Amino acid sequence: MSDPLPRVTPAQRRARLRRRHLLAPSARAATVEEVADAVVGLHATDPATVYLSACARLREPGAGEVERALYEDVSLVKLLSMRRTIFAVTTELAPVVGSSTARAIAARERATLLKHLRERAEEHWDEARLAEVEKAVLAAVAARGEATTAEVAEDVPALRERIVMAPGKPYAARQTVGSRLLRLLASDGHLRRCRPRGSWTSSLYPWAPAPALPDLPVREAKAELARRWLAAYGPATEADLKWWTGWTATDTRRALADIGAEGVALEEGTGYVVPGDVPGDMPGDGGPAGRDEPWAALLPGLDPTAMGWQSRGWYLHPDHVKPLFDRSGNIGPTVWWNGRVVGGWAQRADGEVVWRALTDVGREAAAAVAAEAARLSGWLGEVRVTPRFRTPLERELTS
C-alpha cells in the first residue's frame, strides 16, 4: 500500500502568495523584471494591467519603471501566448514561452486570417499575396524605424482593404486587413509594440522590427514553462496547468512527468508541486518569521494572481464571482487580504480610488486596504484607468 499524499490546506496555499507573488510589503521587488518572472508573465491584453500588476508588487511603484523595461531596455516583450492572451515576459523567458505556446498559436492565427481573407475580403487574397504584403510591411516598418498601422498603410495600400467579420449577423463589422496583419506579424515574432501614442493606458501602439527568438525544442520548452509555473503557482492541479497554458491534456501530463512533479492532496483533488517543494518552511513560503505578516493588495483586472488557476475556491468565495467577473470570465479589479479576494476597487473620474468589501474584513484589514488605495492613488497621479473588461462592481463603484 502506497503512502498517502501530503495534504496541503487552503491556508497553506494562501500563505505562499505572500512571497512567491511578491504581495507582502516585505516581499516587494526592485524591478519589473523580477515581478514578471515571479508570476511567469504579466497579463497585457489590457495595456494598463501590466503597469498596475507590476506596481502592486514594486517597492517603489511608478509607470517609469515599467516603461523602462517595455520600451527602453526592451527587457520585457509581449507575446500572444498562454490561452491566446497577450503576456509580457522577460527576454530570458520569451524563448520558452515562444516555443511552448506562442508559435503554435501564431500558426493557428495565420490559418484563420488566410481563411478570412479568402472568404470575406473585398479583393482577392491567397497565400502568395499574403506573403507579398507581409514582406512589404516588414520593409516599410524597417524603413520608418517604427510606425503605427495607419502609417504603414500609407506605404502598403493593401492594408486598407477590408474584411467583413460575422457576415449576416446583427454585429457584423468591417475590419481593415492592417488591423489583423500587423498583429499577426507580432504573433510571429517579426514585430514588437513600441511606446504607445498618448498615455501608458493607450492601445495605439507603433510597431518596430523585433529580433527573432531562439527556437527551443517544444517538449523541453513545455517542461520548463510547467516547472516555472508550478514553482510560482503550485500546489496546483493538472486541470489548473492545462487551463493556464491552453495545452492539451496529453501535453500537460507529459510536462508534469518530464519535470518529475510530486503529488499532494488538495481539497479539489490531486495537486502537484515541483520536486522537494511540499508546503511548509520551504524557501519562498515566508518561513516562521514571515508567516504572520499581514498584507493587503489592490490588484487590477486580469492580474496574474487572480487569473492563475482554473479552480479558485481556496481564495475566492463563489458568491463573489458575479460582481467581480464580466460575462466572458474576465476578473476585474480585486481587493485582497491575506491571500483571499475580499472585494473590488475602481478609480472614479476625479481620480479617487474607491473600494468595497464583499465580506466583513475587520478594522485591521480595512486600514491596510485604505493604505494600499492611498499608495495606488499616489503613483497614478493624474492618470485615469478604466479596465478594458468592466465588471458589475467596478461599474457600480464608478457610477
Side-chain angles (χ1 to χ4, degrees), residues 48-71:
T49 296
V50 178
Y51 291 79
L52 294 167
S53 291
C55 288
R57 297 167 170 88
L58 287 172
R59 290 197 288 271
E60 297 183 9
E65 166 61 15
V66 183
E67 290 180 327
R68 173 197 60 76
L70 285 172
Y71 308 124

Side-chain angles (χ1 to χ4, degrees), residues 139-160:
V141 174
R144 287 176 175 263
E146 68 173 55
T148 64
T149 301
E151 290 167 345
V152 179
E154 295 174 7
D155 303 325
V156 187
L159 297 183
R160 295 198 290 268

